[in-house]
Amino acid sequence: MPYRIRPRHAFAKEIRRIATSQLEKAVEILEQQPSGIHEAVHEARKKFKRVRGLYRLVARERGDFRRIENARLRDTARALSAVRDAGALVETVSQLEARCKTEGESQAVAATLQALRDRRDRIAAAETGLSSKVATAIEESRQAIDAINSLELEDAPRDAARYLKKAWTKTLAGAHEALDGCHHLADPEKFHELRKSAQTYWMCLSLLRDIWPSAIRAKRTEAKALVDALGHAHDISILATVLDEEPGLLGDEELSHLLSLIIRWQQEIRQSALDMADRVFADEPKVEARVIAKLWVLASKNES
């Protein structure tokens, strides 16, 4: 079933359906591993992230549930992340190849790719107990399914609208705060916070796309482009951190060329992302939250 809340159906049942569907898919992927264990881990982590996005949208008045279940899925995903994160660095540097302007930069990127592939392989070889971690993730997913099936939420359209209004306001307020910080500071942490807010916003729009399909489709497209841009900026920051913490990966000349390229690309991406974010988060949080709540009530009545 799709990752969307259908207004014409019982609200609490929809939340349980979506969470259960995503978690069951994670279990299936981790058990069957159709494209190998590392790809299975990557796909399962995406399912966990979607469920966490769902909980942010609807469970703010169920603080204990949200805190416990968010931590469960966050920690489960984190335990599976080492090799996948190392592979993501290789993908990031691969994107730098098309942005090289000098022979020195091209040579630095080629050397970095090889160094990071070797690093990824070393991490994969050294990682012990991955199968055990996968088994734990499967068990935690099943416990998360039990937990969501015990969550009580009101079904009345106005009660559901109240959940959505509160969560929407909180999500957008966080995005506005992060965006303001990004405009005034070149702090990677502020961009990371903006990225997380944009991801949550995109998932919220996906979940509520049925309340005004045409308008939300446009918002989702803009939000997804922002998430992708901020994701690239985040990946570049992680790459810079790894190069700083592991100086033996590259020679001094190669590192100098690569850092020059990284800085240039990061500045371009950040400026583009800020321009997009200004458009995506142009409306006041409380105003947009009220609109969403009213649209939910209308959609529930029209489809009931």
Side-chain angles (χ1 to χ4, degrees), residues 168-184:
W168 211 271
T169 302
K170 184 74 171 180
T171 296
L172 289 182
H176 278 248
E177 181 179 354
L179 180 56
D180 185 63
C182 290
H183 275 300
H184 293 90

Side-chain angles (χ1 to χ4, degrees), residues 56 60 66 164-177 197 200 285-286 289:
R56 290 188 187 98
R60 290 199 176 274
R66 180 174 176 269
L164 300 176
K165 181 180 178 182
K166 180 176 291 188
W168 211 271
T169 302
K170 184 74 171 180
T171 296
L172 289 182
H176 278 248
E177 181 179 354
S197 293
T200 299
K286 289 183 179 180

